[in-house]
Every structure is written in C-alpha cells, then in structure tokens.
Amino acid sequence: MKTHASKQLCTVDVTSSRRKCRKAHFTAPSHIRRRIMSCHLSKDLRAQYHVRAIAVRKDDEVTVMRGRGAVKVGNHKGKKGKVVSVYRKRWAIHVEKITKDKANGTQVQVPIHSSNCMITKLKIDNDRKRILDKKKVIEKDKGKFQTGKVEMALD
C-alpha cells in the first residue's frame, strides 16, 4: 500500500478516475457482472436471512420498484413476476409477465435493470444457501460496536 502526504492508506490497484471506472464496469467479465447485477431483498427476506442484497438468478420472484425498462416502453413499476432470464451481456433481467407487442404482433420480453427490482421470493438450493450463510457471517457484525471493543480502542 502507498501512503500519501495526508497519511491516508490507499491501494494502488483501485482508481478513482471516472473514465477508468466506467471502462472497468462496462467491460466487466461475466462472473463480475453477476455480482454487479444484484437486487435488494424484501423486508421479510432481509429479516429472515440477515442479508440486504444478493445476485439475481432465474426463477427468483421480483417486484419492479422503479419506472420503465431498459427500453423506454410503458411503466412497469409495481409489477411482479418470476425471472425468466438474466441477460448479463445487456445488463438486464427478463420478468415473466412484462412484455411488449412489436409492430408485427409478436410479444417480446422487456429488459429491466436489476437495480430497479426487489426480490420477494428466492429460489433456494445448496449453492444459494452457502452464499447466504457466507454473506450473513460477513454482514452480522458490520457497523456494530461492542462496548468492550470501544473501551479498548479508546485506551
């Protein structure tokens, strides 16, 4: 780690340049996009699993929390449905009942950004359980100060 004149530690690997951050985001590989494309959990799921957000996947049930899809067609706020596909290349998820009619009459899925959705029901399997347990351990004591630790830090 490098130190600056203000004695603040920072990592050399991370940049604060807007140009470089945007490039890293939009050229991210699929395994990083999975993590970026996460959704908040509903209040009851948050209370149950002690996790705020998790990567969205097929067969999760979501509620659209904000306005329009990636394609500016209609207002989808408040609509609920099952995730049909997670399209990482286009940064979008497709929800079961959210479609639009094309000029020739066929129906197509409307892509919605995952940050505009909230997960209301999780598809749980062994991998998902392991991810939730791992995040729960990390988030359990996050931001909490215990009296003994605070007193030791002050001394």
Side-chain angles (χ1 to χ4, degrees), residues 39-60:
C39 288
H40 281 285
L41 296 179
S42 63
K43 288 188 177 181
D44 54 336
L45 289 177
R46 198 181 303 176
Q48 182 180 351
Y49 295 111
H50 304 287
V51 173
R52 179 175 293 274
I54 193 165
V56 69
R57 66 178 280 186
K58 185 178 173 182
D59 295 331
D60 284 343

Side-chain angles (χ1 to χ4, degrees), residues 16-151:
S16 59
S17 166
R18 181 174 189 270
R19 175 175 59 100
K20 290 179 183 177
C21 287
R22 284 178 58 82
K23 182 178 182 187
H25 182 272
F26 290 109
T27 61
S30 183
H31 70 285
I32 303 290
R33 286 182 187 225
R34 179 189 160 276
R35 204 171 60 218
I36 294 171
M37 291 179 64
S38 58
C39 288
H40 281 285
L41 296 179
S42 63
K43 288 188 177 181
D44 54 336
L45 289 177
R46 198 181 303 176
Q48 182 180 351
Y49 295 111
H50 304 287
V51 173
R52 179 175 293 274
I54 193 165
V56 69
R57 66 178 280 186
K58 185 178 173 182
D59 295 331
D60 284 343
E61 289 184 20
V62 297
T63 303
V64 179
M65 301 303 291
R66 290 188 58 113
R68 301 172 177 214
V71 179
K72 305 287 191 262
V73 177
N75 187 8
H76 305 296
K77 182 176 179 179
K79 292 188 179 178
K80 300 176 182 182
K82 190 178 279 194
V83 176
V84 177
S85 68
V86 179
Y87 198 164
R88 291 185 196 167
K89 190 172 183 179
R90 290 190 61 192
W91 299 94
I93 62 174
H94 295 132
V95 182
E96 195 172 44
K97 298 167 190 167
I98 301 178
T99 57
K100 71 170 185 168
D101 294 327
K102 288 174 62 173
N104 64 4
T106 59
Q107 285 193 336
V108 292
Q109 296 285 334
V110 175
I112 297 171
H113 197 274
S114 60
S115 66
N116 296 331
C117 297
M118 180 176 66
I119 298 175
T120 55
K121 187 176 178 189
L122 287 170
K123 180 188 178 193
I124 298 288
D125 60 357
N126 290 334
D127 292 333
R128 213 61 180 302
K129 281 182 185 174
R130 194 170 63 242
I131 290 168
L132 285 168
D133 290 340
K134 189 175 175 183
K135 287 188 78 139
K136 183 178 178 180
V137 169
I138 293 169
E139 303 251 340
K140 186 173 62 175
D141 295 327
K142 190 174 183 180
K144 305 276 194 239
F145 288 108
Q146 296 172 351
T147 55
K149 290 183 180 179
V150 172
E151 289 170 1

